[in-house]
Amino acid sequence: MVFQNKEGKESGGVFIKFSNPPQYMIGWCSQWKPFSVEFPTAVDKIWRFSKTKETVQVTCNEVGVINSTASDESCDRWPNWRYYWERETDRVKFTKHLDKASDHYRIQLPTENWAPIPRGFRFDLDLQRVPLEISTNSELGSNDRISLLFYDQHKNISGGLAIKFSTKPRFSVPYCSRMSDFPWRLSKSSAKCR
C-alpha cells in the first residue's frame, strides 16, 4: 500500500510479504524486516492501517503488528525519507503488480459531528460492519441509563444492551440477563445467556 498526497506524490507506504517468516517494509524508509510479534494465523485476516504524518500503525485481527515512526534511525534504506514522509497523506494506492493478497477494503471515517440520539426511533445500522459509538456525560451515581434494542430485518427484537450509571456501574442484556456488575474478567459461564 502506497500513501499519496493530493497531487499523487508518495508520502510513505507499507508493504507486507507473506514469506516464511512474514516480513514488512516501510516504504521510502526501511529495508524488509521480520515482524517482531506473531500475527494471527487465521486464514481470514483483517488488516487496519492508520497513519499520522510520520507514524504508521498496523493491526492484524486487532493484534498490533507494526508501529513505526519514520526517523533518521529507523529509515535505514532511504536517507532522504523526509522528502516523502513529511507530505500530507490524502490517498492510498494498492500497487497493481505487487499486491496480490488484498481482497477487499472498507474505510472507517472518524467524524467530529455527533448526531443527537434519535430516542424511540429505529435506524438502520450494520453493527457487523460499522461499530456504534455513543458519547455521554452521565456520571457514576446519577442512575442515568443507556438503553439500546437491536432489531432484525423484519423489525423483530434481536437483542440489546442496557448500562446503568449507578455508583458501581451495571449492565444487562435485555431478554437475556438481569442487571449485573461489570466483570473485570469475563468468565466463560458469565458470557452466555441463561
Side-chain angles (χ1 to χ4, degrees), residues 16-86:
I16 296 171
K17 187 177 357 179
F18 291 92
S19 53
N20 190 8
Q23 298 180 47
Y24 72 96
M25 179 176 68
I26 305 300
W28 296 273
C29 176
S30 73
Q31 306 278 351
W32 285 100
K33 299 177 182 181
F35 285 89
S36 59
V37 297
E38 287 188 38
F39 58 81
T41 56
V43 174
D44 293 329
K45 295 178 178 61
I46 296 183
W47 297 84
R48 180 173 290 159
F49 298 82
S50 62
K51 180 187 182 285
T52 58
K53 198 162 201 173
E54 295 168 356
T55 299
V56 64
Q57 294 178 321
V58 180
T59 63
C60 176
N61 291 357
E62 300 195 23
V63 173
V65 293
I66 299 173
N67 186 355
S68 180
T69 300
S71 68
D72 289 333
E73 227 174 72
S74 66
C75 293
D76 53 6
R77 183 175 178 204
W78 293 82
N80 58 343
W81 62 270
R82 280 186 184 85
Y83 178 77
Y84 300 93
W85 281 86
E86 288 187 350

Side-chain angles (χ1 to χ4, degrees), residues 3-193:
F3 306 130
Q4 297 180 332
N5 68 5
K6 286 180 183 173
E7 290 79 37
K9 295 182 179 179
E10 290 83 2
S11 59
V14 179
F15 301 91
I16 296 171
K17 187 177 357 179
F18 291 92
S19 53
N20 190 8
Q23 298 180 47
Y24 72 96
M25 179 176 68
I26 305 300
W28 296 273
C29 176
S30 73
Q31 306 278 351
W32 285 100
K33 299 177 182 181
F35 285 89
S36 59
V37 297
E38 287 188 38
F39 58 81
T41 56
V43 174
D44 293 329
K45 295 178 178 61
I46 296 183
W47 297 84
R48 180 173 290 159
F49 298 82
S50 62
K51 180 187 182 285
T52 58
K53 198 162 201 173
E54 295 168 356
T55 299
V56 64
Q57 294 178 321
V58 180
T59 63
C60 176
N61 291 357
E62 300 195 23
V63 173
V65 293
I66 299 173
N67 186 355
S68 180
T69 300
S71 68
D72 289 333
E73 227 174 72
S74 66
C75 293
D76 53 6
R77 183 175 178 204
W78 293 82
N80 58 343
W81 62 270
R82 280 186 184 85
Y83 178 77
Y84 300 93
W85 281 86
E86 288 187 350
R87 292 178 179 151
E88 291 295 324
T89 296
D90 299 295
R91 301 176 181 170
V92 296
K93 176 182 176 183
F94 294 94
T95 57
K96 187 175 182 179
H97 300 291
L98 295 176
D99 190 333
K100 304 293 183 199
S102 301
D103 296 322
H104 304 92
Y105 79 96
R106 65 182 173 195
I107 300 169
Q108 293 182 330
L109 297 173
T111 178
E112 294 178 20
N113 300 324
W114 288 85
I117 297 291
R119 288 180 174 80
F121 176 77
R122 287 184 212 129
F123 57 94
D124 292 335
L125 179 64
D126 185 349
L127 288 172
Q128 293 179 357
R129 293 181 173 220
V130 180
L132 174 65
E133 295 179 323
I134 299 172
S135 70
T136 182
N137 59 8
S138 294
E139 296 182 16
L140 294 179
S142 68
N143 287 323
D144 289 346
R145 290 179 184 233
I146 291 175
S147 182
L148 297 169
L149 289 175
F150 307 131
Y151 293 86
D152 67 14
Q153 62 187 355
H154 306 291
K155 300 183 181 175
N156 298 313
I157 294 173
S158 61
L161 176 67
I163 299 172
K164 184 177 182 182
F165 290 87
S166 45
T167 305
K168 189 173 183 182
R170 307 189 84 205
F171 78 101
S172 72
V173 178
Y175 308 102
C176 175
S177 68
R178 294 184 177 164
M179 279 285 175
S180 305
D181 295 337
F182 278 93
W184 289 104
R185 285 193 171 159
L186 188 62
S187 67
K188 288 183 182 177
S189 63
S190 66
K192 297 178 181 174
C193 295

